[in-house]
Amino acid sequence: MTTNRAKTIATATTTIIVAAVLLTGLLMIVTRSTGSPESTGSDDGQAHGATEAVDLERRIAEYTSRFGEDSGYRRPPRDARRAVAQGVGLLLDGRRDQAQEQLSDVDFEIRTVTDSATGRRYAEIADRTEDAPSPRGWGRVYVDLDTPARWSVQVPHPVADQHTERLGVSVLRGSRGGVMVIAGAHRRAGREDVADVAHRTDSVFDAVCDELAERGLPGVQLHGFADESAPDHDVIASTGNGELARPEGRALADALRTRDFDVCRAWARSCPLEGKTNVQGRKAAEEGVPFLHIEFSNAVRTSRAQAARAAEAVGAVTAAWSTEPAGPRTG
């Protein structure tokens, strides 16, 4: 009797152990299959590293606070420009591991940050370190990780065009599927306007914008002007060197007008600062991609309330882009 009871207990114990092992394995499978993979930026669907919670506006402000006319700028060689642009492209294709490998070759890395104001996750593509005595000034890229990329907001003259970097963050936050490209130096850093990325094709900024245009992502580029340069206007809206974005331009101008801004519409009349020589606008026109060049007065940019209304107006355009598949237009 004792022997039979011992056998029964041993058998039951074994059964319990096997069941526990099977249950543990099942829970691991369920946990893996119901996780929250990034929609952009991962080869295997798993998150890479810890997500850092940040106020994106403050992060950009801290980054650009070091920019100055004498802060230095190193012109990137062609291979470096191509490496960063290709790394961005790989990330947009969902191949984060390969993107990181590509970017590592030029000492860039991908970090994941969560914007505390919106709860959205972004990939931050940036220099591994920016504490060097003479930073390279190659800029940053922020990519929405929760929605496929559909459009870009470009900030070529942070600090020089005061508060356009802050406006860029507001526009990025306003609609899903955005990519923000921000220059890494004051436009007068370096010699012979080498850091004026809106008018040069030999910058990381331009290489990344080219990559986005070639992928069919429409773009809006933010600039600022001194109030006395166009005293009768708050905003100058232009389609740059192309005409494909006229519908978006009209929608933007109407949205600005309803918010009490006076807008000079460069496609309808002669305006100062039309952006005809902007190289990113020219590339967009070549690729058949909509592009808007927007100049905001100093009064608009320095007023929190006015800047917020201006960003909302731009959102009338980016919100529409966020629901459309990227691609060139034929007319």
Side-chain angles (χ1 to χ4, degrees):
M1 180 70 70
T2 303
T3 302
N4 290 338
R5 180 177 296 177
K7 288 181 179 179
T8 301
I9 293 173
T11 301
T13 301
T14 301
T15 301
I16 292 171
I17 292 172
V18 171
V21 171
L22 291 174
L23 180 59
T24 300
L26 179 60
L27 288 173
M28 290 176 65
I29 292 172
V30 170
T31 300
R32 288 172 182 167
S33 64
T34 58
S36 300
E38 297 175 353
S39 61
T40 301
S42 178
D43 288 310
D44 58 6
Q46 298 300 311
H48 286 64
T51 298
E52 182 182 0
V54 303
D55 180 321
L56 195 55
E57 181 182 311
R58 182 176 300 172
R59 192 173 186 89
I60 294 298
E62 291 173 353
Y63 171 56
T64 60
S65 65
R66 294 166 287 181
F67 293 5
E69 295 184 31
D70 58 350
S71 61
Y73 173 76
R74 192 187 313 171
R75 193 175 95 174
R78 179 178 297 179
D79 288 349
R81 302 195 303 265
R82 184 182 299 116
V84 177
Q86 289 177 348
V88 172
L90 288 167
L91 180 67
L92 295 182
D93 288 337
R95 300 158 66 185
R96 180 165 180 158
D97 290 336
Q98 293 182 39
Q100 182 59 77
E101 183 178 355
Q102 178 81 16
L103 292 163
S104 294
D105 290 341
V106 289
D107 290 325
F108 265 62
E109 68 177 357
I110 305 171
R111 310 177 188 102
T112 300
V113 298
T114 298
D115 180 25
S116 59
T118 62
R120 295 181 192 163
R121 296 177 309 140
Y122 295 94
E124 178 186 74
I125 301 173
D127 260 305
R128 287 187 183 278
T129 178
E130 283 147 350
D131 296 329
S134 179
R136 297 184 296 183
W138 291 357
R140 289 184 177 183
V141 182
Y142 289 84
V143 179
D144 188 337
L145 287 175
D146 298 319
T147 307
R150 291 286 186 261
W151 56 276
S152 75
V153 55
Q154 305 162 15
V155 186
H157 299 146
V159 179
D161 288 359
Q162 190 179 25
H163 297 316
T164 50
E165 62 275 10
R166 188 171 70 191
L167 193 57
V169 173
S170 295
V171 171
L172 181 67
R173 285 171 166 171
S175 303
R176 295 189 176 275
V179 178
M180 183 170 70
V181 190
I182 181 168
H186 192 285
R187 68 182 298 177
R188 296 189 181 90
R191 298 180 179 178
E192 299 178 354
D193 293 327
V194 69
D196 184 0
V197 298
H199 299 100
R200 299 187 66 102
T201 59
D202 57 354
S203 69
V204 168
F205 179 94
D206 184 68
V208 172
C209 290
D210 281 359
E211 176 72 24
L212 300 179
E214 290 167 6
R215 289 170 172 268
L217 270 66
V220 53
Q221 192 170 110
L222 309 180
H223 293 263
F225 66 89
D227 294 343
E228 59 270 21
S229 298
D232 296 330
H233 304 293
D234 301 306
V235 184
I236 301 167
S238 169
T239 59
N241 199 51
E243 298 181 353
L244 287 173
R246 284 195 176 188
E248 288 92 338
R250 287 190 287 268
L252 170 66
D254 290 346
L256 287 164
R257 185 179 60 187
T258 61
R259 289 167 174 79
D260 299 323
F261 293 112
D262 188 285
V263 186
C264 189
R265 307 179 184 219
W267 56 87
R269 56 175 295 183
S270 177
C271 300
L273 305 168
E274 294 183 353
K276 297 291 186 182
T277 60
N278 183 282
V279 296
Q280 290 80 42
R282 288 181 173 178
K283 175 65 173 179
E286 291 172 5
E287 297 295 331
V289 174
F291 175 86
L292 288 174
H293 180 282
I294 315 174
E295 294 268 1
F296 296 92
S297 71
N298 183 66
V300 171
R301 288 177 283 116
T302 55
S303 164
R304 281 277 186 178
Q306 292 192 60
R309 299 204 314 273
E312 288 177 358
V314 178
V317 174
T318 58
W321 282 343
S322 69
T323 62
E324 299 174 357
R329 290 184 184 175
T330 58

